[in-house]
Amino acid sequence: NAGVTQTPKFQVLKTGQSMTLQCAQDMNHNSMYWYRQDPGMGLRLIYYSASEGTTDKGEVPNGYNVSRLNKREFSLRLESAAPSQTSVYFCASSEHGGQNEQYFGPGTRLTVT
Amino acid sequence: RKEVEQDPGPFNVPEGATVAFNCTYSNSASQSFFWYRQDCRKEPKLLMSVYSSGNEDGRFTAQLNRASQYISLLIRDSKLSDSATYLCVVNMWGFQKLVFGTGTRLLVSP
C-alpha cells in the first residue's frame, strides 16, 4: 500500500497562475483533508471532505477550491496564486472523520513569486 | 485562548535522558487525543494515540488528564533519532476534524 500520495512534490508559480494539487489514498478511508503549514503557524486546515460527495471549509479556505473526485482522490485548486500561498501543502486521510487518526502524504512545496 | 497549546521549545537533552512534554486543550468536549512526530521537511506521522487510562509504547508513555485538560508525552532513554517536532492533536466529539498544536521541538545531543 502506498498510503497517501501527492503530486507534485515541488512547484513554482508566478502570481496569477493556477494549478491543481492532486492527492490519492489507497486505504479505503472516508475522510480526506488539505492542510497548509507555514513556519511558526502549525498545520492549518484549508478544506476537508468528511465523506465522498461532501466538502467543507476549514480554517483558511480563501483562495482555494477542492474537488472530491471519488473516494480515493481529493484535489486542491489554486485559481489565481498569490505570494501569500507560498507554503507546504499536506493532504491527509482518516477512516471516519475526526475520531480517527489521520495519515499524511509527503507534501507539496509551493512557491509563488 | 488557543484550542491546543504546546511549549514550542526547543528542549535540548543529552542521549539517555528522560524528557516530558505537556499539551493543554481548551474544549472539555474533546474526545480523541494523539501525539504525532514531524521530522524537518517531512510529513507528520502518528506516534501514538492517547487513551484515558494512559498508554505506553516502548520508550514512549502518553497520559491524559481530563480534569486539568492536558495530555503528556514522556520519552525515556532519549536517542539521537528522537530529535523531531512533536505535535499534540485533539478532536472534539461530533467534529470531523482534528486540531493540531504548533509542536514542541526536541533536540537530542550526543
Side-chain angles (χ1 to χ4, degrees), chain B residues 34-61:
Chain B
F34 309 95
W35 283 103
Y36 278 70
R37 170 195 170 123
Q38 187 172 26
D39 293 294
C40 189
R41 302 177 72 82
K42 298 283 191 182
E43 73 272 24
K45 291 186 177 176
L46 178 68
L47 180 65
M48 59 199 304
S49 302
V50 186
Y51 303 122
S52 296
S53 55
N55 48 304
E56 188 173 308
D57 183 2
R59 298 182 292 109
F60 298 85
T61 301

Side-chain angles (χ1 to χ4, degrees), chain A residues 33 35 37 41 43 45 48 50 90 97-102 104-106 109, chain B residues 32 34 36 38 41-44 46 91-98 100 102:
Chain A
Y33 307 81
Y35 293 91
Q37 188 173 38
M41 300 289 291
L43 284 161
L45 184 64
Y48 66 101
F90 290 106
Q99 300 308 312
N100 304 113
E101 60 273 20
Q102 292 179 9
F104 285 79
R109 297 186 178 280
Chain B
S32 301
F34 309 95
Y36 278 70
Q38 187 172 26
R41 302 177 72 82
K42 298 283 191 182
E43 73 272 24
L46 178 68
N91 158 266
M92 292 180 287
W93 180 257
F95 282 73
Q96 296 292 339
K97 50 190 176 167
L98 299 177
F100 286 77
T102 53

Side-chain angles (χ1 to χ4, degrees), chain A residues 6-100:
Chain A
Q6 291 183 237
T7 55
K9 286 190 165 50
F10 301 93
Q11 184 71 49
V12 178
L13 291 178
K14 293 188 187 318
T15 298
Q17 288 184 318
S18 62
M19 78 162 296
T20 299
L21 281 65
Q22 307 286 354
C23 173
Q25 52 90 9
D26 63 2
M27 296 176 281
N28 201 35
H29 284 171
N30 290 293
S31 304
M32 298 185 74
Y33 307 81
W34 276 106
Y35 293 91
R36 61 178 289 174
Q37 188 173 38
D38 303 292
M41 300 289 291
L43 284 161
R44 291 186 291 170
L45 184 64
I46 305 171
Y47 270 94
Y48 66 101
S49 171
S51 60
E52 189 179 353
T54 69
T55 60
D56 285 285
K57 293 178 180 179
E59 185 184 350
V60 287
N62 291 345
Y64 305 95
N65 283 302
V66 290
S67 295
R68 183 75 183 264
L69 305 169
N70 48 54
K71 191 171 185 179
R72 288 188 65 246
E73 298 172 287
F74 189 38
S75 62
L76 178 72
R77 182 158 178 85
L78 285 70
E79 291 291 352
S80 178
S84 60
Q85 294 178 305
T86 293
S87 189
V88 180
Y89 291 85
F90 290 106
C91 177
S93 71
S94 69
E95 188 174 352
H96 287 293
Q99 300 308 312
N100 304 113

